[in-house]
């Protein structure tokens, strides 16, 4: 009986295998982006110029949020439920709709480029945005291709494509700095090279889609199928915009008065991005995982609870470590010139923002898995409304206060998501999801904080804290109550 406690359930094996695959891909992505930022920071040697480059990248990130019009999430859901129909109809509908919408985005960008250049007092920004308009068409294509592999739970291929996308994009950014062209400014050169990377990525992904799925690329566009996909995808699309726009919006507002602060914020997002990949990995796996058993409410609740639980087991301690040692981490990665008192505050608040945002982000994926997409939109509206209303008022005079508002918005969104669980009559096991995973982190924090008073013995206390985290986590997993045999037999993975 004692040996059985070490046996992994099907749910645990599925999460362990696929979250590890996606997590590895996201980790490599974050490493590539961070290394790219380090190269840029040290090559430019100018915090102001570094801030200008990151401002351009944040604008690109903001525009990218509006691509696909929800067709990518609809395609994931279609592949999870009806893969044959997805290959025959849904893929073509999603691809066509996304391309058409990206063309509209490109035209809008052409019109807004002069206005943005004037707003930020950066004339070269205009040419950079004009050159980038074609890049978003290729981005919309590659997003649909990646979604097709997520929907059929081929997470290894999806992770590979994520790495390819980031590698080529980051390479384009670095080449834009290292290989200047006489006729183009720095920002224009970066935009040109990033466009080349997007084209190559879309080409590679389309070849893989053809070899694996062999979809019907051309044919009629069934009106009813378009309506069905939009009905599912639009709320998710709107929620994803509300979910992800806060970061680039915050940076863009701060950038209107201080490109120096933009550089500090960008470094902070790079650091906290390493803990953010945990939730992103679980989000990617959770939607098709929960959707597979959407008709079985109890099994869906169990899967949702498990996803949140193991997300928090990893997220809690990493968030705590970043909050304890922000300046040390920042100085080691980017150099002492980028490590200040304000930058440490930014990093702590951003880390807490990632933690709070995981509640709504992961919760939205769980709800989308059971076919409920309203929560994704309204929860993220709750997070973003404070940023939209108050950040423009204080960003110019107090970037630190702006980041406080950003983090507070995510805290409100977390409470809103809990309310939606009850509204949809889908309450989870809160103690298993959020309570138990916190206990090992508390034990780790006690040991590490005690080490601050031990002076030369501090490294030993850090090691003891990490050991306490590991031992306590294993003990909690061993002593958790197993599910009934009937419930375990009901689990069918892949």
């Amino acid at each position: 009986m004692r040996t059985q406690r070490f046996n992994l359930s099907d749910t645990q094996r599925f999460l362990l295998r696929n979250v590890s695959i996606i997590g590895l891909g996201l980790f490599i992505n974050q490493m590539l982006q961070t290394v790219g930022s380090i190269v840029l920071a040290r090559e430019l040697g100018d915090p102001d110029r570094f801030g200008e480059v990151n401002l351009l990248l944040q604008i690109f990130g903001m525009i990218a949020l509006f691509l696909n019009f929800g067709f990518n999430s609809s395609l994931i859901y279609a592949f999870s439920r009806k893969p044959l129909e997805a290959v025959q109809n849904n893929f073509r509908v999603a691809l066509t709709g996304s391309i058409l919408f990206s063309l509209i985005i490109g035209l809008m960008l052409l019109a807004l480029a002069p206005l943005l250049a004037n707003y930020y007092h950066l004339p070269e920004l205009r040419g950079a945005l004009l050159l980038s308009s074609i890049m978003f068409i290729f981005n919309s294509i590659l997003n649909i291709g990646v979604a097709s592999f997520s929907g059929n739970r081929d997470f290894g291929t999806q992770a590979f494509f994520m790495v390819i996308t980031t590698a080529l994009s980051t390479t384009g950014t670095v080449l834009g700095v290292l290989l200047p062209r006489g006729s183009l400014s720095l920002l224009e050169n970066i935009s040109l090279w990033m466009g080349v990377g997007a084209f190559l990525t879309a080409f590679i992904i389309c070849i893989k889609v053809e070899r694996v799925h062999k979809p019907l690329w051309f044919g009629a566009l069934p009106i009813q199928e378009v309506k069905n996909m939009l009905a599912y995808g639009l709320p998710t699309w709107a929620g994803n915009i509300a979910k992800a726009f806060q970061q680039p919006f915050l940076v863009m507002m701060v950038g209107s008065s201080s490109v120096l602060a933009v550089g500090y914020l960008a470094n902070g997002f790079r650091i906290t991005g390493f803990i953010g990949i945990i939730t992103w990995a679980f989000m990617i796996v959770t939607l098709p995982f929960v959707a597979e058993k959407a008709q079985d409410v109890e099994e869906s609740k169990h899967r949702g609870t498990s996803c949140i639980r193991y997300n928090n087991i990893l997220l809690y301690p990493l968030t705590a470590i970043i909050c304890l040692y922000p300046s040390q981490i920042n100085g080691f990665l980017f150099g002492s010139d980028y490590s200040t008192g304000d930058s440490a505050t930014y990093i702590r608040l951003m880390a807490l923002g990632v933690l709070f945002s995981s509640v709504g982000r992961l919760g939205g994926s769980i709800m989308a898995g059971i076919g409920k997409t309203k929560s994704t939109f309204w929860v993220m509206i709750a997070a973003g409304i404070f940023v939209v209303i108050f950040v423009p008022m204080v960003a110019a005079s107090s970037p630190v206060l702006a980041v406080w508002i950003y983090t507070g918005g995510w805290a409100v969104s977390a409470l809103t998501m809990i309310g939606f669980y009850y509204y949809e009559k889908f309450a989870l096991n809160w103690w298993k999801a959020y309570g138990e995973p916190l206990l090992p982190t508390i034990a780790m924090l006690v040991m590490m904080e005690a080490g601050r008073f031990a002076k030369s013995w501090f490294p030993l206390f850090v090691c003891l804290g990490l050991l306490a985290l590991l031992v306590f986590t294993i003990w909690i997993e061993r002593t958790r109550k197993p599910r009934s045999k009937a419930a375990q037999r009901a689990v069918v993975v892949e």
Side-chain angles (χ1 to χ4, degrees), residues 116-357:
L116 290 172
N118 290 333
Y119 180 74
Y120 291 108
H121 307 291
L122 285 175
E124 63 183 278
L125 185 61
R126 177 179 180 179
L129 294 177
L130 292 177
L131 285 172
S132 69
S133 57
I134 190 68
M135 174 179 68
F136 294 106
I137 298 176
F138 298 124
N139 283 343
S140 69
I141 295 173
L142 67 89
N143 286 343
I144 294 299
V146 172
S148 68
F149 290 98
S150 177
N152 69 354
R153 297 183 292 282
D154 187 352
F155 296 111
T157 300
Q158 184 185 7
F160 172 73
F161 284 151
M162 286 161 39
V163 172
I164 289 294
T165 301
T166 303
L168 292 176
S169 175
T170 304
T171 300
T173 305
V174 174
L175 289 178
V177 174
L178 299 181
L179 299 178
R181 298 176 63 88
S183 59
L184 296 177
S185 67
L186 172 64
L187 299 186
E188 290 170 342
N189 204 42
I190 290 174
S191 182
L192 176 64
W193 279 104
M194 289 184 68
V196 173
F199 167 76
L200 292 175
T201 307
F203 181 73
I204 294 170
I205 290 177
C206 285
I207 291 176
K208 183 67 173 181
V209 169
E210 173 61 27
R211 288 179 177 176
V212 175
H213 297 310
K214 300 187 184 303
L216 298 178
W217 296 86
F218 305 101
L221 299 176
I223 299 299
Q224 187 58 46
E225 193 59 49
V226 173
K227 291 180 178 179
N228 291 340
M229 295 190 76
L230 288 176
Y232 179 89
L234 276 178
T236 305
W237 173 74
N240 285 335
I241 292 174
K243 171 173 58 181
F245 95 98
Q246 288 99 320
Q247 174 180 324
F249 181 82
L250 173 69
V251 175
M252 289 168 67
M253 287 296 101
V254 171
S256 65
S257 63
S258 173
V259 291
L260 181 64
V262 168
Y264 294 152
L265 287 172
N267 290 345
F269 283 122
R270 288 285 181 263
I271 293 171
T272 56
F274 280 103
I275 61 175
I277 63 176
I278 296 170
T279 298
W280 279 111
F282 275 95
M283 284 171 59
I284 291 169
V285 174
T286 294
L287 198 161
F289 184 46
V290 174
E292 187 185 28
K293 286 291 181 179
Q295 304 304 319
D296 186 340
V297 176
E298 290 305 315
E299 176 60 23
S300 296
K301 287 183 179 181
H302 170 68
R303 292 187 175 198
T305 299
S306 296
C307 289
I308 295 174
R309 175 186 178 86
Y310 295 110
N311 172 79
N312 290 337
I313 283 177
L314 298 173
L315 187 60
Y316 284 162
L318 292 177
T319 302
I321 289 172
I322 288 180
C323 288
L324 284 176
Y325 312 114
S327 296
Q328 293 88 334
I329 296 171
N330 192 26
F332 173 77
L333 290 177
F334 299 100
S336 58
D337 290 341
Y338 295 90
S339 181
T340 65
D342 282 351
S343 68
T345 302
Y346 293 152
I347 292 170
R348 287 192 177 100
L349 290 173
M350 291 172 188
L352 291 175
V354 171
L355 179 64
F356 294 142
S357 71

Side-chain angles (χ1 to χ4, degrees), residues 430-477:
W430 305 118
W431 175 244
K432 285 187 177 180
Y434 292 103
E436 280 188 348
L438 184 60
L439 299 179
T441 299
I442 293 175
M444 180 194 73
L445 285 174
V446 170
M447 295 298 299
M448 289 186 173
E449 282 299 294
R452 290 183 182 272
F453 303 98
K455 297 182 180 180
S456 61
W457 292 94
F458 175 70
L460 175 61
F461 278 84
V462 171
C463 294
L464 290 175
L466 296 175
L467 180 62
L469 173 71
L470 178 62
V471 172
F472 206 176
T473 299
I474 295 174
W475 179 77
I476 287 177
E477 284 299 293

